[in-house]
Amino acid sequence: MSRKPGSSQVSTTTTGVPPESTSSRSLRSGIVHLQHGLGYASGSRHTAPCHNSRFAVAGQAGAAGTGRMDAFVFDRDTAVRRVANGVWAGELSSRWNAGTVPNGGYLMAIAGRMLCASVACPDPLSLTGHYLQPAQPGPVTGQVELLRRGRRVSFAAVTLSQRGRGAIARFTGVFGDLAQQTGETRLEGVPPRLPPPVACEPVEPVAIEVAKRFERRVAPGVGAWLGQGADARAELCAWVRFADGRAQDAHSLALSADALPPPLLAVYGARGWTPTLELTVQIRARPAPGWLLCRTRTRYLTRGLLENDGEFWDEQGELVALARQLARFAEPERPPLGLGDVPPSVSG
Amino acid sequence: MSRKPGSSQVSTTTTGVPPESTSSRSLRSGIVHLQHGLGYASGSRHTAPCHNSRFAVAGQAGAAGTGRMDAFVFDRDTAVRRVANGVWAGELSSRWNAGTVPNGGYLMAIAGRMLCASVACPDPLSLTGHYLQPAQPGPVTGQVELLRRGRRVSFAAVTLSQRGRGAIARFTGVFGDLAQQTGETRLEGVPPRLPPPVACEPVEPVAIEVAKRFERRVAPGVGAWLGQGADARAELCAWVRFADGRAQDAHSLALSADALPPPLLAVYGARGWTPTLELTVQIRARPAPGWLLCRTRTRYLTRGLLENDGEFWDEQGELVALARQLARFAEPERPPLGLGDVPPSVSG
């Protein structure tokens, strides 16, 4: 059950080929593309060089990165630019909506980009989001506050605001360099025993925007997952990857961690949804390219409050993230779908 | 496995008798005593009246509460007072030190008092702490920021600072009224199967201050818990209560949730300690008076980063809190003890 650091794999898989090249555009607009700017888009988890100096630091000039990654929709839709000292701008795309509202993990991914650039660290080690009110597609501003810059880890917060709506979310995080992270490794938990993606059943996207951005596969027979009643287990295991072939990285994990339907729907079906109050994602490793193996679970629903716990492994079996959120269980007069969609075989 | 809201128990147990009465002092000094000011110190979880108007709100006059609770050391040592609009003051006592540093849950309890009073909500629903640098016993200042005041829940953050040291911690939280919290209850997890406190073995306090403030009892035979090696499970189950008889409430849970030794010590023994980077506590119910049943566990230590997960039930078997922290596993040249002590039968 225990794995030493030395046994960790170094991926040799390459990322998908971007469907178009738009690097010149990103350089012109000064948009930050953290992943490529760090030179670890090759998928190497431990050997990639880390060039902190290529980060935009709040108070310095704005942009970094070669921009090749903005060929992928995640990168285009999470691009941020520094507009003043500690002030960042971005654009919330409707492509990541759950219902009419941008997904909370999507907001976290944008916030993570602003924060990492501000603290000059390549990776979030943890991100915590407090969701103050529903966001809307459109321009968004981030006001960054540096809390502490340390030798090993740094801390910072950002408040996302939208014109006419005020603050919509606050994100606070711990930042570092996962490539430099050393120490013991010891695992008591194991990934879910799911057949390989090729032997699983695809979950076709339904009419929810964020669902269309991902490919999801579940074990054969899981089509009966939704609304099984009180005896069901509020748990969902699935393979997840970006529909356009973009590789996962430390920045996309926050979004991917929030891209599955709430596990409580296994019990209550479409009669409930679960708006997030607080979401914390611990990022433990830069994931290898490929599928993400996910298990989400709710064990304690108490008077309408619940946790949604997620565990995430990369395709090489390495634990890459833990997520937990506090959410409300909202009853039926509201839209039935929260953070994702439901398997179509049982929703129709 | 499922429990409906209507079946929840209302406690009839009374709190312990304070060893002294110091109400006049607290009224003179304007110190806030949230618990008593709300009238739920009787231990009733669901029927106690909630008088939000008795809270000190940032921007209004400072203090509330009858002060009877300050006879207990927890209440004295977490008392806070408003000194200006959005600015609070308190005093970090060395009585809650782990080593030379005040325990992180203790800082959270003080922050929770400042925040609840500021947002005029009786209960934290969740508190997240980011620990920027070690605190020291002595005066502490809290700068409160109201993020959103809503009908059902409110959000606020506070930065704790100490003179000459700057910011030591940031706490962000979601606040509401647990007495008004309604909705489904459904439990898939169960409390640990521990003999009742009377049949468990006391863990005598060692020379760590925070340990002296609690009575802890573990199952017979658990004395061999520490340093069992790689095959051990990094888990600890225990009964916990305040040594001076103070009842638990929503404010003391944050501290109690951080009062057990790091579960990883079951494996590594005294060679490691685990400084906290981020701690989130979800508070699900006001606990009934009496013992708190605790289970803490670390399943994933990855290159020196780990989660410490806690589940907490009150003596009537109700889930009252979940806690998770991101911590570093620090190697032996540092003090061996992190957030608590270790059973004396194996530490001596």
Side-chain angles (χ1 to χ4, degrees), chain A residues 20 23 32 49-50 106 135 162 186 225 274 307:
Chain A
E20 55 177 311
S23 61
V32 175
C50 173
Y106 171 53
Q162 291 193 291
R186 183 178 182 281
W225 175 81
T274 62
E307 87 287 358

Side-chain angles (χ1 to χ4, degrees), chain B residues 20-82:
Chain B
E20 54 178 313
S21 174
T22 54
S23 62
S24 61
R25 190 192 60 163
S26 75
L27 289 172
R28 276 201 310 274
S29 64
I31 287 172
V32 174
H33 295 284
L34 294 182
Q35 192 198 47
H36 227 70
L38 286 171
Y40 57 85
S42 66
S44 166
R45 185 154 35 219
H46 307 123
T47 59
C50 172
H51 303 298
N52 280 0
S53 61
R54 301 180 73 174
F55 275 92
V57 177
Q60 301 179 0
T66 66
R68 206 173 74 200
M69 291 300 283
D70 73 352
F72 294 111
V73 64
F74 172 80
D75 299 279
R76 285 200 299 272
D77 290 349
T78 60
V80 297
R81 60 196 158 83
R82 182 181 165 276

Side-chain angles (χ1 to χ4, degrees), chain A residues 2-5 8-9 45-46 125-128 130-133 145 147-148 152-153 155 157 159 165 167 170 172-174 178 181-191 229-235 264 267-268 271 276-278 280 282-285 295 297-311 313 318-319 322-329 331 334, chain B residues 2-5 8-9 45-46 125-128 130-133 145 147-148 152-153 155 157 159 165 167 170 172-174 178 181-191 229-235 264 267-268 271 276-278 280 282-285 295 297-311 313 318-319 322-329 331 334:
Chain A
S2 157
R3 183 159 57 173
K4 297 287 179 190
S8 301
Q9 315 88 337
R45 185 155 35 219
H46 307 122
L125 304 187
S126 86
L127 284 168
T128 295
H130 286 86
Y131 295 91
L132 310 179
Q133 58 171 324
E145 186 185 0
L147 297 173
R148 183 170 186 83
R152 192 192 297 258
V153 296
F155 297 84
T159 306
R165 305 170 58 74
R170 162 69 60 92
T172 315
V174 187
L178 286 169
Q181 184 66 36
T182 57
E184 289 283 305
T185 292
R186 183 178 182 281
L187 309 175
E188 290 192 12
V190 294
D231 291 338
R233 196 162 140 136
E235 178 173 318
L264 209 59
V267 179
Y268 292 99
R271 66 171 264 227
T276 305
L277 296 170
E278 181 266 327
T280 295
Q282 293 184 13
I283 293 146
R284 297 292 191 86
R295 173 167 51 204
R297 186 162 187 205
T298 293
R299 286 184 304 158
Y300 301 110
L301 169 64
T302 60
R303 291 186 206 91
L305 294 173
L306 62 109
E307 87 287 358
N308 180 346
D309 281 352
E311 300 181 355
W313 289 263
E318 178 131 14
L319 179 86
L322 296 181
R324 170 174 285 176
Q325 64 178 261
L326 172 67
R328 284 196 304 115
F329 179 63
E331 294 285 343
R334 309 293 296 270
Chain B
S2 157
R3 183 159 58 171
K4 297 288 181 189
S8 301
Q9 314 89 337
R45 185 154 35 219
H46 307 123
L125 303 187
S126 87
L127 283 168
T128 296
H130 287 86
Y131 296 91
L132 311 178
Q133 59 171 325
E145 187 185 0
L147 298 172
R148 183 167 187 84
R152 193 192 297 258
V153 296
F155 297 84
T159 307
R165 303 170 61 73
R170 163 70 59 91
T172 315
V174 186
L178 287 168
Q181 184 66 38
T182 57
E184 289 283 306
T185 291
R186 184 179 180 281
L187 309 176
E188 290 193 12
V190 294
D231 292 337
R233 195 162 141 138
E235 178 173 317
L264 209 59
V267 179
Y268 293 98
R271 67 171 262 230
T276 304
L277 296 170
E278 180 266 328
T280 295
Q282 294 185 13
I283 293 146
R284 298 294 190 87
R295 173 166 51 204
R297 186 161 187 204
T298 293
R299 287 184 303 160
Y300 302 110
L301 169 64
T302 60
R303 290 185 208 89
L305 293 174
L306 62 109
E307 89 286 358
N308 180 346
D309 281 351
E311 300 181 355
W313 288 263
E318 178 131 13
L319 178 87
L322 295 182
R324 169 174 284 176
Q325 65 177 261
L326 172 68
R328 284 196 303 113
F329 180 62
E331 293 284 345
R334 308 295 294 272

Side-chain angles (χ1 to χ4, degrees), chain A residues 58-59 81-89 114 118 140-144 158:
Chain A
R81 61 197 158 84
R82 182 182 165 277
V83 293
N85 192 4
V87 183
W88 293 75
M114 295 175 178
S118 297
V140 65
T141 301
Q143 183 82 43
V144 170
V158 63

